[in-house]
């Protein structure tokens, strides 16, 4: 064998280096992992759905600054109720988280296990269904843990959906429908859908059914829209609430009756369009108030509320910017009378939300009553009985009653009792104000003349 042949054989027998062996081993492991991933992706796509949806849910649940809109509908039989709410979650200077919930004309603030009204009055919150909608976001990662997650492409983006059963479904439903927390007996299952775009959750949808305590089957349909950061509105806690945070709240837990009443009032204010009949009468024979059949109407024009009252053939329009007649002319003091009467309803609602009341139930009707104090009486008399003041020596007592059927306000009434002096003789009197919401909206036409829009809306 010659020298050249021996050199070739030596080259052929040269072994691979340890580095090359490690490199080839890693490549082999990588190929196996890719194969496993491809296999799981093809055979078990829900495995990845669960991972991706959980990542997005945890990110949303931990976000300290969010704003969302909630539209929660419930219907059974011929009854249907819709709750529109908006909530913000923010971090306070001391690191505590605060949730502000706005429903209709009501705003409440949840901080550190307590709920505060705008005037700073605080209550303890216990149990479920206390209207802190932020919990409907933060509870999702744990709620969906262990469930199979599916996905599909839609026009809104990629949707991940899960069917939840058992106690978790009941608890989640009562978070979205707090005024039904004591009325829901069972929830068979709910479907939760997460609408995503660019790896962020933009909407949460919930559909299902619940069995109420009387055996009635109720259909549920709720949507939580997550407002993009660029479109979030400015918000802050009132100073009265901030001042009350370090104080002991009242030795009173927010009751189911308070939640039910708050939701009934908020649904009334959220209804668009809305209408009611107002009647003011007295048993003093020689006094004619002239407001025994007055129409009240409320609706939005270009996202701004307009109210008006109808007395005979006259219409008087008003909102937060002022009041005017159908020609857009500002109202005189006499013409302001019907508007003042309509505004007293807002005052009475505020009293119910700020003070203690009695709650009873009769034949499916919830009845809330409250005795007004001297300060409340004075404000109401000054507001809607200006012509009556010249005859009234005093109003001794006043009682307000609010009637609610299946979460809807059906009547608000106020009774004032006092005395007038007639020929040196004191005669007792009563004045009744009754506010009855209209149920048949299809029969009513709502209109705003251009002159009114120009005056009240600047359009």
């Amino acid at each position: 064998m010659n020298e050249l042949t021996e050199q070739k054989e030596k080259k052929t027998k040269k072994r691979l280096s340890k580095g090359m062996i490690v490199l080839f081993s890693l490549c082999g492991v990588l190929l196996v992992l890719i194969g496993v991933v491809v296999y799981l992706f093809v055979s078990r796509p829900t495995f990845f759905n669960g991972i991706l949806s959980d990542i997005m849910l945890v990110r949303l649940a931990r976000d300290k600054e969010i704003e969302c809109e909630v539209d929660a509908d419930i219907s059974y039989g011929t009854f249907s109720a819709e709750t529109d709410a908006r909530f913000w979650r923010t971090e306070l200077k001391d690191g505590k988280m605060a949730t502000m919930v706005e429903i209709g004309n009501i705003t409440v603030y949840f901080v550190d296990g307590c709920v505060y009204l705008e005037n700073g009055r605080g209550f303890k919150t216990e149990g479920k269904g206390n209207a802190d909608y932020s919990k409907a976001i933060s509870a999702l990662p744990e709620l969906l843990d262990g469930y199979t997650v599916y996905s599909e492409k839609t026009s809104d983006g990629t949707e991940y959906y899960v069917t939840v059963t058992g106690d978790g479904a009941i608890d989640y439903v009562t978070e979205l429908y707090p005024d039904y927390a004591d009325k829901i007996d069972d929830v068979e299952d709910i479907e939760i859908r997460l609408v995503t775009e660019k790896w962020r959750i933009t909407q949460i949808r919930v559909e299902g059914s619940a069995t109420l305590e009387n055996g009635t089957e109720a259909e549920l349909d709720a949507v939580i829209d997550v407002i993009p950061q660029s479109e979030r509105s400015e918000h802050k806690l009132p100073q009265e609430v901030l001042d009350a945070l370090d104080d002991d709240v009242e030795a009173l837990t927010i009751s189911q009756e308070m939640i039910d009443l708050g939701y009934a009032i908020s649904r009334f204010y959220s209804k668009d369009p809305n209408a009611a009949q107002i009647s003011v009468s007295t048993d003093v024979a020689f006094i004619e108030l002239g407001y025994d059949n007055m129409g009240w109407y409320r609706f939005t024009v270009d996202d701004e509320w307009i109210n008006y009252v109808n007395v005979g053939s006259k219409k008087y329009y008003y909102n937060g910017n002022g009041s005017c007649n159908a020609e857009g002319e500002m109202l005189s003091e006499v013409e302001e009378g019907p508007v003042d009467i309509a505004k007293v309803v807002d005052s009475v609602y505020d009293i119910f939300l700020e003070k203690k009341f009695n709650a009873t139930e009769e034949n499916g009707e919830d009845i809330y009553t409250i005795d007004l104090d001297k300060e409340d009486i004075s404000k109401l008399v000054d507001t809607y009985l200006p012509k009556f003041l010249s005859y009234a020596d005093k109003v001794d007592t006043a009682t307000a009653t609010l009637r609610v059927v299946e979460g809807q306000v059906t009547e608000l009434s106020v009774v004032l009792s006092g005395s007038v002096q007639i020929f040196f003789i004191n005669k007792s009197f009563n004045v009744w104000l009754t506010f009855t919401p209209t149920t048949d909206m299809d029969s009513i036409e709502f209109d705003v003349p251009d002159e009114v829009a120009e005056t009240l809306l600047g359009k």
Side-chain angles (χ1 to χ4, degrees):
M1 184 180 294
N2 58 33
E3 186 177 345
L4 181 60
T5 303
E6 290 178 357
Q7 290 178 353
K8 287 183 177 180
E9 288 181 355
K10 289 180 180 179
K11 288 182 179 180
T12 304
K13 295 178 180 179
K14 186 176 181 181
R15 296 181 177 181
L16 294 174
S17 65
K18 292 182 178 180
M20 293 295 292
I21 293 174
V22 172
L23 179 62
F24 282 128
S25 298
L26 290 175
C27 288
V29 172
L30 182 60
L31 288 173
V32 171
L33 289 175
I34 292 174
V36 172
V37 170
V38 171
Y39 171 77
L40 289 174
F41 184 79
V42 173
S43 62
R44 296 183 60 192
T46 56
F47 175 79
F48 286 96
N49 291 338
I51 294 176
L52 294 174
S53 61
D54 187 61
I55 291 173
M56 289 184 285
L57 273 175
V58 170
R59 181 168 56 184
L60 177 62
R62 292 179 178 177
D63 194 343
K64 295 179 179 179
E65 297 288 336
I66 61 174
E67 179 178 351
C68 300
E69 289 183 347
V70 180
D71 183 357
D73 299 344
I74 184 170
S75 59
Y76 46 93
T78 59
F79 169 78
S80 63
E82 178 179 345
T83 298
D84 293 319
R86 179 182 287 258
F87 73 88
W88 299 261
R89 185 169 67 198
T90 189
E91 185 177 23
L92 302 179
K93 291 181 180 180
D94 59 3
K96 292 180 180 179
M97 298 304 299
T99 302
M100 293 161 278
V101 180
E102 182 182 273
I103 312 172
N105 70 330
I106 302 169
T107 304
V108 292
Y109 306 84
F110 294 88
V111 185
D112 200 22
C114 299
V115 58
Y116 297 87
L117 304 181
E118 289 184 277
N119 59 5
R121 185 185 182 191
F123 301 89
K124 296 178 182 178
T125 60
E126 293 182 0
K128 56 190 177 181
N130 55 33
D132 184 356
Y133 286 110
S134 178
K135 291 184 177 180
I137 296 289
S138 57
L140 277 174
E142 183 177 353
L143 175 66
L144 303 186
D145 185 34
Y147 280 99
T148 301
V149 181
Y150 300 90
S151 67
E152 65 179 356
K153 295 285 186 179
T154 69
S155 58
D156 296 324
T158 301
E159 292 189 11
Y160 298 88
Y161 56 99
V162 184
T163 299
V164 179
T165 60
D167 292 339
I170 297 175
D171 292 343
Y172 200 72
V173 165
T174 53
E175 294 293 350
L176 290 174
Y177 299 87
D179 55 329
Y180 281 84
D182 66 335
K183 303 175 182 67
I184 293 176
D185 184 58
D186 189 25
V187 176
E188 184 174 347
D189 58 54
I190 55 173
E191 183 182 77
I192 299 178
R193 284 183 171 262
L194 311 175
V195 181
T196 65
E197 183 180 354
K198 296 180 180 179
W199 304 109
R200 287 188 176 275
I201 296 173
T202 60
Q203 188 181 78
I204 300 168
R205 297 175 183 167
V206 180
E207 292 184 2
S209 59
T211 304
L212 303 184
E213 57 185 3
N214 59 3
T216 302
E217 192 82 2
E219 296 300 318
L220 311 172
D221 184 7
V223 178
I224 302 175
D225 285 310
V226 182
I227 308 300
Q229 185 174 358
S230 59
E231 299 178 16
R232 293 176 188 170
S233 56
E234 294 185 5
H235 53 275
K236 62 180 181 180
L237 273 69
Q239 191 59 47
E240 292 83 354
V241 175
L242 293 173
D243 292 341
L245 293 182
D246 296 329
D247 299 333
D248 291 333
V249 298
E250 297 183 31
L252 176 68
T253 300
I254 187 168
S255 66
Q256 187 64 46
E257 287 82 7
M258 293 179 67
I259 293 173
D260 292 348
L261 178 61
Y263 269 77
I265 294 174
S266 68
R267 285 198 183 103
F268 168 78
Y269 277 108
S270 300
K271 189 178 294 184
D272 182 21
N274 204 352
Q277 289 297 117
I278 300 177
S279 173
V280 182
S281 59
T282 179
D283 56 2
V284 179
F286 61 87
I287 295 179
E288 177 59 48
L289 295 176
Y291 302 119
D292 56 345
N293 189 19
M294 184 170 67
W296 173 90
Y297 309 89
R298 187 171 189 258
F299 60 109
T300 55
V301 177
D302 296 336
D303 295 327
E304 293 190 50
W305 288 104
I306 286 284
N307 309 268
Y308 71 92
V309 288
N310 187 1
V311 182
S313 60
K314 299 287 187 180
K315 293 181 179 180
Y316 305 108
Y317 298 80
Y318 67 97
N319 63 3
N321 299 322
S323 56
C324 66
N325 58 24
E327 288 72 41
E329 301 167 342
M330 303 305 291
L331 300 182
S332 65
E333 184 176 353
V334 174
E335 292 174 322
E336 284 281 1
V339 173
D340 290 339
I341 292 173
K343 288 181 178 179
V344 79
V345 176
D346 298 338
S347 300
V348 174
Y349 279 148
D350 290 340
I351 293 171
F352 269 103
L353 295 174
E354 293 177 359
K355 299 186 178 181
K356 296 180 181 179
F357 53 81
N358 295 318
T360 58
E361 192 270 334
E362 295 180 8
N363 300 321
E365 183 178 48
D366 296 314
I367 304 172
Y368 305 90
T369 58
I370 190 169
D371 293 325
L372 282 62
D373 59 29
K374 288 293 185 181
E375 182 179 355
D376 296 327
I377 292 173
S378 178
K379 289 180 180 178
L380 294 181
V381 171
D382 290 344
T383 299
Y384 75 90
L385 290 177
K387 293 191 299 183
F388 190 67
L389 286 178
S390 59
Y391 299 99
D393 293 321
K394 61 181 179 178
V395 175
D396 298 319
T397 62
T399 301
T401 303
L402 186 64
R403 296 178 180 272
V404 176
V405 176
E406 295 183 322
Q408 307 279 3
V409 175
T410 58
E411 182 182 273
L412 171 64
S413 60
V414 181
V415 181
L416 299 175
S417 300
S419 62
V420 291
Q421 191 170 22
I422 305 174
F423 299 115
F424 306 105
I425 300 175
N426 282 338
K427 179 176 176 56
S428 61
F429 72 88
N430 293 294
V431 176
W432 296 273
L433 181 146
T434 305
F435 183 88
T436 309
T438 301
T439 55
D440 183 14
M441 292 297 169
D442 295 335
S443 63
I444 301 174
E445 293 185 5
F446 297 83
D447 68 289
V448 174
D450 293 339
E451 295 83 356
V452 173
E454 184 177 349
T455 299
L456 300 183
L457 304 178
K459 302 182 183 298

